[in-house]
Every structure is written in structure tokens, then in C-alpha cells.
Amino acid sequence: MAPTVEGRDATLFPEFPRGPLDTYRARASFSWKELALFTEGEDVLRFKKTIFSALEIDPLFARSPGAHLSLEKYRELNFLRCKRIFEYDFLSAGDVFESPLKVSTLIQCLGMYDWSLAAKYLLHTLIFGSVVVSAGSERHFAYIPKIFSMEIFGCFALTELSHGSNTKAIRTTAHYNPATEIRDPKTLFPMPGVMVGDIGKKLGQNGLDNGFAVFHKVRVPRQSLLNRMGDVTPEGTYVSPFKDARQRFGASLGSLSWGRVTIMGMAVTNLKLALSIAVRFSATRRQFGPTEDEEIPVLEYQTQQWRLLPYLAAAYALDHFSKSLFVDLVELQRGLAAGDRSARQAELGREIHALASAGKPLASWTAQQGIQECREACGGHGYLAVNRLGVLRDDNDPNCTYEGDNNVLLQQTSNYLLGLLACRVQDGACFRSPLKSVDFLDSYPGILDQRFEVSSVADCLDSAVALAAYKWLVCYLLRETHEKLNQEKRSGSDDFEARNNCQVFHGRPLALAFMELTVLQRFHEHVHQPCVPPSLRAVLGRLSALYALWSLNCHAALLYRAERRRSCPGGRDRSSG
Amino acid sequence: MAPTVEGRDATLFPEFPRGPLDTYRARASFSWKELALFTEGEDVLRFKKTIFSALEIDPLFARSPGAHLSLEKYRELNFLRCKRIFEYDFLSAGDVFESPLKVSTLIQCLGMYDWSLAAKYLLHTLIFGSVVVSAGSERHFAYIPKIFSMEIFGCFALTELSHGSNTKAIRTTAHYNPATEIRDPKTLFPMPGVMVGDIGKKLGQNGLDNGFAVFHKVRVPRQSLLNRMGDVTPEGTYVSPFKDARQRFGASLGSLSWGRVTIMGMAVTNLKLALSIAVRFSATRRQFGPTEDEEIPVLEYQTQQWRLLPYLAAAYALDHFSKSLFVDLVELQRGLAAGDRSARQAELGREIHALASAGKPLASWTAQQGIQECREACGGHGYLAVNRLGVLRDDNDPNCTYEGDNNVLLQQTSNYLLGLLACRVQDGACFRSPLKSVDFLDSYPGILDQRFEVSSVADCLDSAVALAAYKWLVCYLLRETHEKLNQEKRSGSDDFEARNNCQVFHGRPLALAFMELTVLQRFHEHVHQPCVPPSLRAVLGRLSALYALWSLNCHAALLYRAERRRSCPGGRDRSSG
């Protein structure tokens, strides 16, 4: 049954205060309340309301427009706010189990307030705390209540100064030896052999006190090792429940995906915030008009619509995708927790890894570019700090970098697809994946024979048309990338060099096109379900078509070039490198 | 004669300190000293050295890494530094007359240090001071020494809260009436009827104290009016040396271009700074390699080169263009000062206006996108405030907005081209302009019949090939835009609506393609002059080709589409709107 607005209490959907947006709101072809209910669901809407209502009346969360916070004061406030979030205890363990999506909802609500707060809370609970829970054993359980009361506050040491993407080459080593931790729990001074420091001001997220730690011959008790995935016996022998290293690596891919899927949600949240500001501004800001006496809202200009509305459509499509991939990841995690060691479980891990590895780049770049467009679309007003677009840009920016540089990460996805094609070519294996994102590739020779046949612009307003074009494009790019890679190898390049030389014009667009297709496929299906309220079908269909055509348009040159090659099958296009 | 490095004293070209960049520097195919001499000229190089040497040893300009400046302290420092720049008196009036380019060199050097300082100095001298000089008369000359000693500090009130682009609709009016300025010169308190305030923190350039002023029935003495272009007699009659309003408007276009050409130089400076950081980082940062033991500099990766090097080429091409347009503008200004009222002078004003109106968007967007790419290409290190990429992004950002929103400004250029085509169609007038930027359009039917004929990739490495493609593209876009505009009008749109509906897919790409062509044309000619030192020809030719192909590639879909239409002359392409 479709959810309906009728019968909900008015507190869930308070009326907007009257103001200059009334005219546009009155012209809407749909009920925003119905759309919110369809997009979020009542349970999540109520949960958001609980969080926002608490923060709204708590003086610790009051904003002081114009007040200038020093770095130290900002960090102190952020720490106190984080502690307060624990006191509010918005989510019980039971809630998390029943409705895991609320975890990301909570992170996003905190991020809508301030990403430094969301990050501090997230790193302490979901990275530090939950790792102690999930990777530790009985001997670590004593720490857990102290962690969730913030008596113990965790830090998360990830990389080295000279290492980022190449985690395998990290030079910190741990040797087994008898027992001795980083700071003294009483004085908070660092323990001997440990040097800690602050990395200094960042472009954004400055409420988060990122630092560095140097360990020089530091002894850590054997008992401190989080030992579920691997342990050291008192005799110094390494033991692991996994039979082989490859399987252990596969299991850890799931953990890597958590970060990336969470970042997708963060990026989408930023895009939503920026768009709310810019679209509302555009509806009220008037400049020029058909006559000297009459000025019209800038939202009426084709240029302003072209600048902003595709990002609005992208926000809906990416929002749905990031939530649905989160749900898939929960399934993966539950399988792991239940000890599922099946081939399907391993394949699910790999598929989610491929989707998260391109999903994070797509979402974070779309948000970064969208925020910049919103900033410019608001003119000088967008340049005022109080209007928040600068903070959004600064706070979203690292989403393009952490948990894997976007350009580097895309290789994970193109390699996944190329690997599947190699299996098909060598062993005749089918393209099949648990979430079915690659299943269409099984008929790739047939798809490549299809032609784009539409007779009018109106036909293109169904996202099914763009979906078909995307499938063709991904098949084409996959075949081209495979051929280019083989050609590089035949010319004497080793695997490392061959892959590097195929990335810019082959692997990269392949990964991005596949990702856009997957996001679009899920959104298209979502908005064409029978349970979509009839009054929302038109607007959701338009959002799906707009996202589809706008994204596909970036590949227009490739589509034309491919068609040209087909019409001249004898030779290769001259412009190819 | 080509300038040579030999014989210059070593102080002009000190050796770089030894360090991790030595390896790459030793591999350079050209001498950086020769390139610097060719690009800047000895006179400007010496002038830059004078400025930097003075600032380097002056404690007032010392940076305090990690120190946190409050807004108030930053503005105070910025004011004191501005005053010190006047004391240094880097440029005499004679220098400015002999070598006007030094004015923009000074602004750019100050901007390389801090754009807030450059802006404060620029607004006070070139906007406030020079307007008093050029638009005032004898009765204002008493102010001039006080202005250049900063005894009087000028402000520049440009727009209204509700007005940006539509300057004609500004509602502040001035009525003639007997006599009474904004602040009391002794106490600095605002005068009666004047309310002043600060607009608050901005995304960048916070050393500049932008504010607002409200004038409520404020009396300003008639004598204070800057009266060279228009005056009010004691009886209240408006008098002007210009015969008609259109001519007065034409003369003022020159003044508008100063700001835009200056911004081009500012944007290019930001792009240069960001690239210096990112390219050097990429040459020393190592990640992954062909074997587990060997890591290679990230600059060796095709992806990293593809991300950064086209922006390096763009920086060279745009740098040359902004300087050459500055020189053209000086010519225009000298003609105005000499009382030249010829048709050529008016046409020169219009052409420069069209070039500055698209040049500012092209330069500021290229810089904004380039800085973001540099930020990401430096990974987490790029996100550290101390590495400056954040400040560059924030300080460059308003270049996309002030002196005309980029998207709005582009209409000036497309309208200029459409106007010339209309004259040709209606009156058979030739495409001719003083700087010859539109002359090629005179043979547009012939150009449209040309085909792209190259037989190898190597052929494309001459920027003449891309230039020919660009000329074709601009002719094509001009004809298409003209047709689309007529079609809109035939369908009943008025002029306002017709132009709005032609901008996104016609006028905008027309203006940008024309601009890229003009930048490329000038750079291509510059690097193919006989006076280019032989040892620099190869590298300059590659820069020109790279900028050409990279820019042209953004229009690849259009080129393919146009070709497809030509091969199916009967019908229109289905994908057109």
C-alpha cells in the first residue's frame, strides 16, 4: 500500500512559514508532504524530527552568526557537542538492528548541522567503538561502556605521511614481544616512545582535531590486539579463522565499503543542502525582465534552470542509490556475522566493493561541482560566509580524497568489469552478480548491435530510453577497454604500465558510465514501482529522465564517435589516441 | 633579436636550492631562464624581483604559519600592508606611462602574496584614485596627494542589495540640490543620513573589509561630483561633452573592460600558483610502482598528467592573452585620452568589450576548475590549509562573479557576434574588427564547406590544426545561433525571451568557442614568431597544441553532431532540442 499523508499528525508535517516562496509553492504539481513520505518513510521522518527538535532547543548547538570561533574553541565545542549526542542516545542497539539505515540518517542529520561533529561521532563510534565490538573478543568488552560514555575516546590511525593510496607499502610494523598503551589514562600525556601532534588547519572540518602519532619502539600488550580476524598466541604464533589470505582480504573488502557508502550519503546530504539554498534564492531573486518595469525571478531563466535543476535530479537519484547500497551492505554484513562463507557471499562483497568504489567518486564529484554551481548561481550572496555554501564546499571536498582518491578508486570498478569479461572470454562464464548490476552485460554482443531508435524529443523523457543508451555505452566501453589493454600488452607493456595507460580514456569513463547506469537503473525502477503514489509519478519520472539525459549528455562525444566507427567499420576513427 | 640569458647578472636568475626536484629539473628539454625571459621580458622580471625582495625582508609581510588571525587583526594588518606598499612607491607615474603592463604586474605580485592586499590597493588607487584623476577636474586635484598618502582612503559603492547584473534598475537616485561627504574627516564617524556597516565574513579575501552604506536624504556638494563625463551647472542643468547617450555608453565600455581584463590576470596568477604547488608535489610524491619495491613519482602516471598538464598549457595561453588584451586596452585608453572620436575607436571599444566579457569567464572558470583539480591531485596534503590551495580556491572564486556573473557576461560576446552577422546579412557589411578577432568570419560560408583532413595523430600536434577546427566550429555555432534566434522569434517569442531561450545550447558555447579560438590564435602566433629562441620552440609548440586539443575536446560532441548533419543534409539530427 502506498503511504498517504492523510491521518499523520500535523507535527510531522508543519506548514512552512509564509514568505516569498509561497507563490512557487502554490504552483507545485505535487504535495511535498507526499514526496517526503515516499522518499524517506514515516519512521525515518520521525527520527529526523526527534534529532532536529532536540538540537534546536539545546543552547550548546545554538549558532552565533557573525561570531568568530578560534580553532581551539571550535574543537572544544565540537567535543562537548559530541559528548552531548551520546547523552541524547538517539539510537538504541535494538534500533540499529531493526533499522540500520537510521545510523546513516543520524550521521547525516549531525552533518547537516556540522560535519566536524558528524565525523567526530562517526569515527569514535563506528570506526573505533564498533571495531572494538566486532573485531575484539571477551577480553575487550570491559572497554565498551567506557567508549560509549566517552570516558575512553578513540582515535583512528590510518596511514603514513608518505603513503596514501598504496596502503600495502606502509612501513609501520608490529613485532610480537611481552607487554606494556598511547596516553596515560590519568594525565593524558603521551606514553614513552609516542609523540603526538596536530596536523594544523585544514580547508574544512576544522572542528575535527586530526593529528599525527609517531611510535618509536612502543610496546603494546598482546591482550590489546583486536583478535577476531587474527591473533598472536603467547608463544608468538599468528592464528586466523580464515583459511587463506585471499579469503581474509575478501572479507575485509566489506569493511572498506562501509566508509565509501557512508561518504556517498555525506556527499548527497551536502548537495541537498546547497541546492535548497540556491533554488530558494533563485525563486526570490529578481533580475531583468521582458519590460523595464518588471523583473522576473532568476529561476525563470533557462540558464539558471540548466545550472541547478539537473543537480536536483542527481540529488534524488544518488540519494536513493546510496540508501539502497547501504541496505545491500547490511545484508553482506549480516552474512559475515552469520558465518556465511558461500561463493555468493564472496561475490556480493566484490560487487559492493565495485559499486562503492565508483559510487563514492560519482557522488562526491557531483556534490563538489553542484555546490560550486550553487555558489556561483547565488552570485555575491553565495560568496557571503553566512550563506553556508563555502562551508559546504570545504567540508565536502575531502569526500573526493579520503577512503581512496576518486581517480584511483575508479580503477577498482573498471578492473572488476574487465575481470568479469576476461572470465567470460576465457571460460565462457556468464555475467551474473548477486545485485544483478552486471547481468545485462551477458547479452553484450546483441546490445552492441542495437541502434538508438526514437522518433521525438518527448520519447526521450522516459528514462528507459537513456537506460538503453547507457547499456550500449557500457558494453562499448568495456569492449574497447579490453581491446586497448590487450593492445598495450601486445606492444610490450607489463600489466602495471598497460593498466596505467588505459585509465584516462578507457577505464575511467567505463567505471563512471557503469556507475551512472547503475544509479539510474535503481532510480528508474524505484520511481516506476506500482506503489508510487499516482500524484508523484509525473514529477519522479521527470527527475529520473532529467538525471538520465544530463548524465548521458557528458558521453555524447563517445556515442557519436562510436556510431561513426560503426558506419565506417573498415577503419578506426582518426581522432582516437 | 631574441633575448638571451647569457650576460644577465646572476641575481636575476638565482639557482634553485638543491632538493628533490633536481632530477626532473635536470631532465628539462629547455632552459627555464630562457623561458622566463621570453615570457616576461627582462624589465618585468627585474620589476618583480624588486617587489618580492622588498616584501621578503619586511617583517610586516612575514607569514606566521599556524598562527590564527582574527578577522579584525587580519583587516588591520591588511590596511597597514597597503599603506606600506604606498611607501615603497614601486611605480612612478612615468613608469606607468612608459610600461603600463607594470601596473598589472604589481597587482599580480601583491596578489601572489595575498589577494586581500592586492584588492585593497587596487580599489583605492585604480578605482577610487584614478577615477578622481580621470573623471574629476581641477577642483578635485587637491585630493590627489592625500589619496596617494592614504590620508583619504576611498571606498567604492557599486550596487544595491537587490541588484547585481541589472545595473540599469538600480534605485539609488541623486537629485541636484545645494551643498553638504560620508564620514567626518576628523572623527571618522558617519555623517548624518549615512548608515555604514560590514557585510560580514566572506568565503575568501577577508582582509578586504567590504561593507554597505545606506544614504537617506544625504546632501553631497555639487563640487564633489566627478564632472569630466557629465556635470550639473549651479542652475541644475545636466551638461556632458558627449553628443548622445549611445556614444557616452560606448566610451564607458572601455572603463568596464579594465576590471574584467584585470580579473583575467588575477585568475591566471591563481592558476599559476596552484599548478606550481601541484606539479612540484606530483614530482616528489611517490605511490605504487611496477614492482613491490619501487615506487614512482605520481607525475609519471598518465592520469596525473592528464589532470594537471592541460591546465599548465592553459595558464601559458591565458597569461599571454590577458597581457596582450591589456596592451590593447591601453591603446583604447590612449585614444580616448587623446580625444579620438573615430569609428575605429568606437569599434575597438566594442571588440575589447566582447573579448573581456568572455575572457573573464574563461580565465576565472579555468582557474577555479584548475585549482580544484590541483587540490585533489595533491590528495590529503592538498587539504591542509598550509599548502594554500584552499585560499587560492576561495580567493579566486569571486572572479567568477564580480564585474559580471560569468554566465550573464557571455551574452555580451554572443550578442556582439550575432550583431555583426545581422549587419552582414542585412547590409552586406564585412566582418572586420580593429584587433582582427572576427575577420576570419568573413569567409564563413567557405569555412563551413571545409573538412577536417589530417592523416595522423602527429599532425594534430601543430596547433594550426586545432585552430582550423575552431574556426569551423565558431562559424557553425554562429550560423546555428542566428537560425535558432530567428526560429524563436518566428514562434512568437519577444526579443528578451528569444535570447534567453538561445543561450544555454547556442549563445553560450558560441561565446566560449570564440573566446578559446581567440586565446589560442594569439598564443599560436606568439609561439611561432621568428624571434622565439630556437631552444624554446618545441616546448612552446607543445603547450600551444595541448591547450588547443584539450579545449577543442570539450566541443567534440558538437563537432561530431555537425558532421553527422552534414552527411544527412535532408533532416535534422534527432537529438537536437
Side-chain angles (χ1 to χ4, degrees), chain A residues 495-530:
Chain A
D495 194 61
F496 177 75
E497 203 181 344
R499 286 193 187 269
N500 287 342
N501 293 341
C502 290
Q503 199 53 27
V504 169
F505 298 106
H506 296 83
R508 189 180 187 279
L510 168 63
L512 283 171
F514 169 69
M515 199 62 226
E516 289 158 13
L517 164 63
T518 310
V519 169
L520 179 61
Q521 179 81 48
R522 290 195 183 192
F523 192 59
H524 175 84
E525 286 167 8
H526 179 61
V527 303
H528 289 89
Q529 297 171 87

Side-chain angles (χ1 to χ4, degrees), chain A residues 161-163 166 201 203 285 287 295 365 375-376 383 385 393-394 397 560-561 563-564 575, chain B residues 161-163 166 201 203 285 287 295 365 375-376 383 385 393-394 397 401 560-561 563-564 575:
Chain A
L161 194 60
S162 61
H163 284 91
N166 191 2
K201 201 174 172 190
L203 304 198
R285 171 79 168 180
Q287 287 290 283
E295 288 197 303
W365 275 333
R375 202 303 287 156
E376 294 181 34
Y383 198 62
R393 183 174 66 187
D394 287 340
D397 194 13
Y560 278 117
R561 198 177 76 177
E563 188 200 30
R564 188 169 186 272
S575 64
Chain B
L161 194 60
S162 62
H163 284 90
N166 192 2
K201 200 174 173 191
L203 304 199
R285 170 80 167 180
Q287 288 290 283
E295 288 198 305
W365 275 331
R375 202 301 289 154
E376 293 180 34
Y383 197 63
R393 183 173 68 186
D394 287 340
D397 194 14
T401 297
Y560 279 117
R561 196 176 77 176
E563 189 199 31
R564 188 170 186 272
S575 64

Side-chain angles (χ1 to χ4, degrees), chain B residues 548-571:
Chain B
L549 295 172
W550 177 68
S551 297
L552 188 64
N553 191 45
C554 297
H555 305 285
L558 257 174
L559 291 168
Y560 279 117
R561 196 176 77 176
E563 189 199 31
R564 188 170 186 272
R565 282 196 191 171
R566 185 155 57 178
S567 59
C568 322

